Amino acid sequence: MAAVRTIELLQQTSLTTLVQRDIERRILSGDLAPGSKLVEADIAAALGVSRAPVREAFRALGQAGLLRTEKNRGVFVRQVSLEEANEIYEVRAALEGMIGRLAARRIRPEQLEKIRAVVKKMHVVSRSLDAAAYFPLNVEFHELLAQASGNRALIANYRRVVNELDLCRRETLARNAENIPLSTRDHEAIVNAVAKGDEKLAERLLHEHVIESRERLHRALAKPARAA
Amino acid sequence: MAAVRTIELLQQTSLTTLVQRDIERRILSGDLAPGSKLVEADIAAALGVSRAPVREAFRALGQAGLLRTEKNRGVFVRQVSLEEANEIYEVRAALEGMIGRLAARRIRPEQLEKIRAVVKKMHVVSRSLDAAAYFPLNVEFHELLAQASGNRALIANYRRVVNELDLCRRETLARNAENIPLSTRDHEAIVNAVAKGDEKLAERLLHEHVIESRERLHRALAKPARAA
DNA sequence: TTTTGGTATATTGTCGACAATCTACAAGCA
DNA sequence: TGCTTGTAGATTGTCGACAATATACCAAAA
């Protein structure tokens, strides 16, 4: 049965897809900083492919909001201004509230269990204030919750919005590590509301959680970057 | 000053962009039916360009949710199942509610005036039950409202969701022309709420309006297609 | 008749080449 | 010195060609 997976993989995986995933990963990991210019030939050479798949990947990532294309000048990792980030956070709050409501309505036991496991890990990490370890757990928590909503259109839109925010959000946690324990407490309250099936509460808590994130971003950007 | 516009146009317009816009238009107008296969060489020949720009446009439209790509088999206009349409409508309702709230808060007089003009036109058309004439007005009404929200991220997400729904929504109005007067009444109530700056009411009315649209879709699909 | 196998054709995936455009820098002029 | 102009190099935009894959068709066997 693993063979079926392999076949599907080969059927779906073109060079373009591979390149696209690689660039997306590098952007979201912060490896490619916002504003950086991406040179087609360089990326093509680095990955050992021609420019065509790279250009196609650029088009997809442009539509996804991760890249900005200027004709005859090149493509750049998108820079999200503070003002834009505010607007995106507002959208995310609405989507996340919806996720809370739907997840509370139809989360399945095994999904709940997985989320609780993540929260438990966060609890451990939160004591060390290790932002680098906390960040992926935070992403996973929200991702699992989104999946529990059971609405594919919602999940897709949520992911896109989160990706855009990741363009500037990475800074936040590193600069405000002291917020981690607060955030962890939020997550526990959210899981409990979802577990109880309290749609209204889950919706409100998640909405507020996002708005708090937005305020954390503001405070982080007001601060100077921490010394390296 | 017109020259500046022309220069900007040339700076931003690549063949890929042109092809992308053309295909998108043909999909949304119903010219290319959901499920249709798009052959690269055919489109390239029809537009007098090579396959490269067509392929890039495909990638972008795939990411936008209008096309589905199967490796080595081709690209197809996305088919939205009834179940998926339900989920998308649910997301749209949330976004549209947010649009109502924000528009009520910060719509500007000239924007309100434009929307009232559209509603007036709808009122005229609605007597003739002419779905073909009503459809674009309906799209414009919601588009103007979205713009009045002043949140660019919200506008972008809204447009994407509406585009996806247009893949199946076109059927609805044509088959249920008798709903046009009801829909027109909705629109007037919405404009009044926005004009009064009643955020809660505008949010609720728009949310309900979308949910009603969803139910209209269900009734339309239960009906047989009208005779041609 | 149905199914299997193979071949021809059509279509997509990838590549390298060339043209168009931009950028950086140096030479010339005020 | 400071500004303009022109040239060289680098980068992107577009194209046509070839390879890889899928599809349609036909023949042969069960």
Side-chain angles (χ1 to χ4, degrees):
Chain A
M1 308 314 125
V4 176
R5 287 292 182 94
T6 310
I7 290 172
E8 276 184 4
L9 210 76
L10 282 176
Q11 275 176 345
Q12 293 178 359
T13 302
S14 62
L15 282 186
T16 302
T17 311
L18 251 38
V19 173
Q20 182 179 339
R21 277 211 277 264
D22 187 68
I23 298 175
E24 176 171 339
R25 184 185 53 75
R26 288 209 286 162
I27 292 175
L28 296 181
S29 74
D31 183 17
L32 295 170
S36 322
K37 180 176 180 190
L38 303 187
V39 178
E40 292 173 10
D42 293 355
I43 293 180
L47 298 177
V49 300
S50 76
R51 284 170 52 215
V54 176
R55 286 181 62 87
E56 290 180 27
F58 280 179
R59 278 285 160 180
L61 291 168
Q63 196 72 28
L66 293 182
L67 294 180
R68 177 177 46 89
T69 301
E70 293 184 28
K71 193 193 169 201
N72 286 323
R73 296 206 48 240
V75 306
F76 305 83
V77 179
R78 177 169 168 206
Q79 282 179 304
V80 175
S81 68
L82 183 56
E83 193 187 9
E84 272 180 301
N86 266 324
E87 297 178 357
I88 301 173
Y89 261 117
E90 212 172 355
V91 174
R92 181 177 171 189
L95 295 180
E96 198 92 56
M98 191 172 158
I99 285 173
R101 184 159 41 83
L102 296 182
R105 188 182 307 169
R106 38 191 193 222
I107 194 167
R108 294 193 305 267
E110 75 272 17
Q111 292 175 314
L112 189 58
E113 202 173 329
K114 268 172 101 173
I115 294 181
R116 282 202 197 279
V118 171
V119 172
K120 202 168 176 181
K121 279 192 210 163
M122 292 172 113
H123 210 76
V124 175
V125 171
S126 86
R127 281 192 211 110
S128 62
L129 298 184
D130 179 356
Y134 187 80
F135 190 79
L137 288 175
N138 186 52
V139 170
E140 195 184 354
F141 172 83
H142 287 282
E143 168 68 22
L144 288 175
L145 215 47
Q147 284 174 22
S149 78
N151 180 324
R152 285 162 296 182
L154 176 57
I155 296 170
N157 278 278
Y158 168 79
R159 284 192 186 135
R160 193 165 15 235
V161 167
V162 166
N163 274 355
E164 287 180 29
L165 282 178
D166 275 350
L167 287 172
C168 58
R169 213 160 50 113
R170 180 155 292 278
E171 304 281 311
T172 322
L173 275 174
R175 295 195 198 171
N176 281 33
E178 65 267 25
N179 282 318
I180 293 179
L182 272 87
S183 194
T184 302
R185 222 167 307 163
D186 277 9
H187 292 153
E188 283 171 354
I190 290 165
V191 170
N192 288 335
V194 169
K196 274 194 302 181
D198 189 335
E199 297 184 19
K200 287 283 175 205
L201 183 62
E203 176 171 5
R204 188 168 60 78
L205 288 178
L206 266 164
H207 194 282
E208 287 172 2
H209 180 67
V210 173
I211 297 302
E212 278 167 29
S213 296
R214 179 168 76 172
E215 278 152 25
R216 276 200 288 278
L217 173 67
H218 282 179
R219 286 197 296 273
L221 292 183
K223 272 194 190 181
R226 64 166 182 183
Chain B
M1 307 309 133
V4 177
R5 287 291 183 96
T6 309
I7 290 172
E8 276 184 5
L9 210 75
L10 282 175
Q11 276 176 344
Q12 293 178 357
T13 302
S14 63
L15 281 186
T16 302
T17 310
L18 250 40
V19 174
Q20 182 178 339
R21 277 209 277 262
D22 186 70
I23 297 174
E24 176 171 340
R25 183 185 53 75
R26 288 208 289 163
I27 293 175
L28 296 180
S29 75
D31 183 17
L32 294 171
S36 322
K37 180 178 180 188
L38 304 187
V39 178
E40 292 174 10
D42 293 355
I43 294 180
L47 298 177
V49 300
S50 75
R51 284 171 51 214
V54 176
R55 285 181 62 88
E56 289 180 27
F58 280 179
R59 280 283 161 181
L61 291 169
Q63 196 72 27
L66 293 181
L67 294 180
R68 177 175 48 86
T69 302
E70 291 184 28
K71 193 194 170 203
N72 286 324
R73 296 206 48 240
V75 306
F76 306 83
V77 179
R78 176 167 169 206
Q79 284 180 301
V80 176
S81 69
L82 182 57
E83 193 187 9
E84 273 181 300
N86 267 323
E87 298 178 356
I88 301 173
Y89 261 116
E90 212 172 355
V91 173
R92 181 177 171 189
L95 294 181
E96 197 92 55
M98 190 172 157
I99 286 173
R101 184 158 42 83
L102 296 182
R105 188 182 308 169
R106 38 188 192 222
I107 194 167
R108 292 194 306 268
E110 74 271 18
Q111 292 175 313
L112 188 58
E113 203 174 326
K114 268 173 101 173
I115 294 181
R116 282 201 196 280
V118 171
V119 172
K120 203 168 176 180
K121 279 192 210 164
M122 291 173 115
H123 211 77
V124 174
V125 171
S126 86
R127 280 192 210 109
S128 63
L129 297 184
D130 180 355
Y134 187 80
F135 190 78
L137 288 174
N138 186 50
V139 171
E140 194 184 354
F141 173 82
H142 287 281
E143 168 67 22
L144 287 174
L145 216 46
Q147 284 175 20
S149 77
N151 181 323
R152 285 162 295 180
L154 176 56
I155 296 170
N157 277 280
Y158 168 78
R159 284 190 187 138
R160 197 173 1 242
V161 166
V162 165
N163 274 354
E164 288 180 29
L165 281 178
D166 275 350
L167 287 172
C168 58
R169 215 158 49 113
R170 181 156 293 278
E171 304 282 309
T172 321
L173 275 173
R175 295 195 198 169
N176 282 32
E178 65 269 24
N179 283 317
I180 292 179
L182 271 86
S183 194
T184 302
R185 222 168 307 163
D186 277 9
H187 291 154
E188 283 171 354
I190 289 165
V191 170
N192 288 335
V194 169
K196 274 194 303 181
D198 189 335
E199 297 184 21
K200 287 283 175 202
L201 183 61
E203 177 171 5
R204 188 169 61 78
L205 289 177
L206 265 164
H207 193 282
E208 286 172 2
H209 180 67
V210 173
I211 297 302
E212 279 167 29
S213 295
R214 181 169 74 171
E215 278 154 23
R216 275 200 290 279
L217 173 68
H218 281 179
R219 286 197 296 273
L221 292 182
K223 271 193 189 180
R226 63 168 183 184

